[in-house]
Amino acid sequence: MSERDDHRHTAQPPRPDPALRRLDFLVGTWRIEGQTSPDFPGPHMRSISTETFEWLDGGFFLEHRWNGVVGDPSEDPGRELPGGAVQQGVMFYGFDASTGRYRTHFFDGNGPFHEGSVYEGDVVDGNLRFTGPARFTLVENPDGTVTNDWELRDDDGVWRPWRHTTMTRITSPTSTTRERT
């Protein structure tokens, strides 16, 4: 056996970064209810969705799928949402060890790929915060719910509350978790 062949047999496959374990609390199916901030300019809009988080095989990426309604489709077809009031999409969460940051990339009914669909995240005050064109912070609550607060920048570049949502678990993580290696 050549030295090259010997190396090929001993090489270990890559393993997911341990930082990804910080996302485990999201695994499962959730009912999400929320509304825009009372201070947000524009129409007050409620939102409701069902969202599922599960690890892709191998454990390198967390897949997040959603199916929801923003506003009341019978009254407002979602003028500011090109995809309409009914929203569906998928987001992938990962971790970039070279930068020490989480990364997300989402795709939804609002159209083709664009740079605004990429976010970077950190742990801030014990909570996950992701920043892109908007900013969202995921907070685990003692009652098992998760709060997801969204912010947008105003004309001066200051982050202002946009949307507040509460995630309530529908199914336990064990029923949607793929084995991580």
Side-chain angles (χ1 to χ4, degrees):
M1 177 181 293
S2 73
E3 187 176 313
R4 181 178 172 196
D5 289 337
D6 186 48
H7 176 72
R8 191 174 34 208
H9 292 294
T10 61
Q12 296 294 316
R15 311 241 341 136
D17 193 291
L20 288 164
R21 300 304 306 208
R22 181 65 179 88
L23 302 173
D24 280 343
F25 77 98
L26 292 168
V27 175
T29 300
W30 302 81
R31 178 177 174 84
I32 318 297
E33 295 186 54
Q35 57 190 6
T36 53
S37 169
D39 299 330
F40 183 73
H44 178 76
M45 297 181 70
R46 293 182 40 78
S47 61
I48 189 166
S49 61
T50 301
E51 306 189 16
T52 299
F53 294 79
E54 82 182 331
W55 289 105
L56 292 180
D57 290 336
F60 289 93
F61 296 97
L62 183 66
E63 177 186 39
H64 170 200
R65 290 191 173 272
W66 65 88
N67 186 347
V69 175
V70 177
D72 181 348
S74 66
E75 294 178 15
D76 181 0
R79 293 181 302 279
E80 68 288 335
L81 299 172
V86 174
Q87 295 291 300
Q88 292 180 321
V90 62
M91 179 184 286
F92 298 94
Y93 291 76
F95 186 78
D96 183 347
S98 69
T99 63
R101 301 191 81 194
Y102 295 92
R103 295 189 186 268
T104 69
H105 198 156
F106 76 87
F107 304 89
D108 64 14
N110 288 329
F113 170 80
H114 53 87
E115 290 302 318
S117 66
V118 177
Y119 285 68
E120 289 191 337
D122 296 294
V123 176
V124 178
D125 297 328
N127 303 307
L128 287 168
R129 177 176 289 162
F130 292 88
T131 305
R135 181 166 75 178
F136 65 96
T137 303
L138 296 161
V139 178
E140 295 178 79
N141 300 312
D143 66 358
T145 63
V146 174
T147 302
N148 188 356
D149 287 319
W150 288 81
E151 301 167 283
L152 293 175
R153 289 187 192 267
D154 65 15
D155 293 338
D156 296 322
V158 176
W159 290 108
R160 302 285 183 198
W162 170 40
R163 227 173 110 217
H164 172 82
T165 62
T166 301
M167 303 170 60
T168 305
R169 190 178 300 279
I170 296 172
T171 63
S172 67
T174 56
S175 63
T176 58
T177 301
R178 293 183 184 167
E179 186 172 324
R180 294 179 60 192
T181 57

